[in-house]
Amino acid sequence: MPSKYCPHCGRIISSNNIPNYCVWGCGSLKDQPLIPSDTNLLYYIKLKQQQMNNQENNNQLKLF
């Protein structure tokens, strides 16, 4: 069954592409790509969380 990653709650959501929403009430997942079925899900979650942390660090305002 295809799965998608929810960036709001950080969970893997199994879906059949209909509906395209997080079951935990976070919102739409239509912009999220499908996770390939041969992917290690724990590694995928860690990778996504690291990417989100890097994006947050790059968006900080530098005063000096």
Side-chain angles (χ1 to χ4, degrees), residues 2-22:
S3 301
K4 291 188 174 191
Y5 176 77
C6 179
H8 301 287
C9 64
R11 296 179 180 168
I12 300 291
I13 309 299
S14 297
S15 71
N16 59 355
N17 296 331
I18 305 169
N20 234 345
Y21 293 94
C22 178

Side-chain angles (χ1 to χ4, degrees), residues 5 11 13 25 28 45 52 59 61:
Y5 176 77
R11 296 179 180 168
I13 309 299
S28 177
I45 290 173
M52 300 254 321
N59 292 336
L61 178 64

Side-chain angles (χ1 to χ4, degrees), residues 10 13 17 20 24 40 53 55-56:
I13 309 299
N17 296 331
N20 234 345
W24 300 101
N40 182 349
N53 288 340
Q55 287 177 353
E56 289 174 3

Side-chain angles (χ1 to χ4, degrees), residues 18-45:
I18 305 169
N20 234 345
Y21 293 94
C22 178
V23 297
W24 300 101
C26 298
S28 177
L29 297 176
K30 72 176 185 175
D31 295 333
Q32 298 298 320
L34 286 174
I35 300 172
S37 61
D38 59 346
T39 304
N40 182 349
L41 295 180
L42 292 176
Y43 177 75
Y44 189 84
I45 290 173

Side-chain angles (χ1 to χ4, degrees), residues 42-58:
L42 292 176
Y43 177 75
Y44 189 84
I45 290 173
K46 281 185 177 181
L47 182 66
K48 284 294 189 179
Q49 289 174 345
Q50 287 175 351
Q51 289 174 351
M52 300 254 321
N53 288 340
N54 289 339
Q55 287 177 353
E56 289 174 3
N57 292 339
N58 291 337

